[in-house]
Amino acid sequence: DKTTSRLKILRLIRILRLFKLIRLMRTSRVILQLKSQLSFSYGTMVVIRCIVVLILTAHWFACIIQLHTTMVDSRLDTWMGLYSYCDPVYLPPNSTGEAYVCKEVPTLYLAAFTWSMLILTGTGGTDPYPSVASDSETFIVIVLNLFGGLLWTSVLAAFCDIATNSNPEETSFNQMLDDLNRFMANNRLPLEMQSRLRAYLHQRKHIGRAESAQHVLNRLSAALQIEVTLVVHG
């Protein structure tokens, strides 16, 4: 009956969800093992991830740009005709062929990929727009610029985060030095005393690195702490 069929469908959906969950768990384990084996720094991994995302997004943008040219009446009215990637040819009367000839597919893809990369990075690709010949192409360029700008902003934010946090000990020391300078200026300390205070901070700079290393060791288990200590000081 209908009730039994619905129950079977619900069970099937639950089984499929369970399989999906198992796959996600396996994928997470593989990613975790890969991260454990790689000795790349966090900054290097972020750079690699940003490059991969940019390349994939540029590929998708290139596919969209290329796909649009197949939806218009003539490719001569698109960027292919504007930049001479497709040239008009003479056809005899009553012929049914295309009135243009285009470059090879790899050449067209490379052009679209380059254009996509320019749009993503905001370095060009929008000079001939709005287009007089194709309103739809102008609309596509607007949409790609919108999403490209959002993606490029996130990439720049990631690089700024790397630049800021690449050396946390140095950043912390510089902040402490700035705080000391403000304190001495607000309290009008003698110049000789200011010099001695700055010298003290510079002399204990290595202590901050040791404290940072000790903080890392404290996060490990007791067995790992002993093993690392024997390797470092053994």
Side-chain angles (χ1 to χ4, degrees), residues 91 95-99:
L91 292 178
S95 61
T96 59
E98 299 289 351

Side-chain angles (χ1 to χ4, degrees), residues 162-181:
I162 294 173
T164 304
N165 301 316
S166 59
N167 192 345
E169 293 86 2
E170 187 70 23
T171 302
S172 177
F173 174 78
N174 292 332
Q175 291 176 349
M176 186 183 302
L177 191 60
D178 290 340
D179 292 339
L180 177 63
N181 288 329

Side-chain angles (χ1 to χ4, degrees), residues 2-19:
K2 293 183 179 180
T3 304
T4 306
S5 300
R6 290 178 180 176
L7 289 175
K8 290 182 179 179
I9 293 174
L10 289 175
R11 289 178 181 176
L12 180 60
I13 293 175
R14 289 179 179 177
I15 293 174
L16 292 176
R17 288 180 177 177
L18 181 60
F19 280 133

Side-chain angles (χ1 to χ4, degrees), residues 28-46:
S28 301
R29 290 179 181 176
V30 171
I31 294 176
L32 181 59
Q33 291 178 357
L34 183 62
K35 287 183 178 180
S36 301
Q37 295 176 359
L38 294 177
S39 59
F40 295 144
S41 64
Y42 170 76
T44 303
M45 295 181 66
V46 170

Side-chain angles (χ1 to χ4, degrees), residues 70-82:
T70 63
M71 300 179 180
V72 296
D73 296 333
S74 175
R75 290 189 173 185
L76 296 176
D77 296 331
T78 65
W79 60 274
M80 292 185 179
L82 179 64

Side-chain angles (χ1 to χ4, degrees), residues 66-216:
Q66 179 73 13
L67 180 63
H68 170 262
T69 61
T70 63
M71 300 179 180
V72 296
D73 296 333
S74 175
R75 290 189 173 185
L76 296 176
D77 296 331
T78 65
W79 60 274
M80 292 185 179
L82 179 64
Y83 293 106
S84 300
Y85 284 97
C86 291
D87 298 319
V89 294
Y90 172 76
L91 292 178
N94 300 326
S95 61
T96 59
E98 299 289 351
Y100 53 84
V101 59
C102 298
K103 305 289 186 182
E104 298 293 332
V105 174
T107 302
L108 297 177
Y109 175 78
L110 182 61
F113 186 85
T114 304
W115 187 15
S116 302
M117 193 62 72
L118 292 175
I119 291 176
L120 279 174
T121 57
T123 55
T126 58
D127 296 337
Y129 293 94
S131 174
V132 180
S134 178
D135 293 336
S136 59
E137 188 170 280
T138 301
F139 176 76
I140 289 177
V141 172
I142 292 174
V143 174
L144 294 183
N145 269 278
L146 176 61
F147 285 100
L150 295 175
L151 177 62
W152 186 241
T153 301
S154 64
V155 171
L156 292 179
F159 278 101
C160 290
D161 180 67
I162 294 173
T164 304
N165 301 316
S166 59
N167 192 345
E169 293 86 2
E170 187 70 23
T171 302
S172 177
F173 174 78
N174 292 332
Q175 291 176 349
M176 186 183 302
L177 191 60
D178 290 340
D179 292 339
L180 177 63
N181 288 329
R182 282 192 294 268
F183 172 80
M184 294 186 298
N186 292 334
N187 292 276
R188 299 179 181 179
L189 297 182
L191 295 179
E192 186 272 338
M193 181 178 291
Q194 292 185 20
S195 178
R196 286 192 291 113
L197 292 177
R198 293 192 192 94
Y200 172 77
L201 283 186
H202 282 285
Q203 290 174 1
R204 74 177 306 274
K205 187 176 181 180
H206 66 282
I207 299 178
R209 296 177 180 175
E211 292 175 349
S212 177
Q214 185 62 40
H215 176 71
V216 173

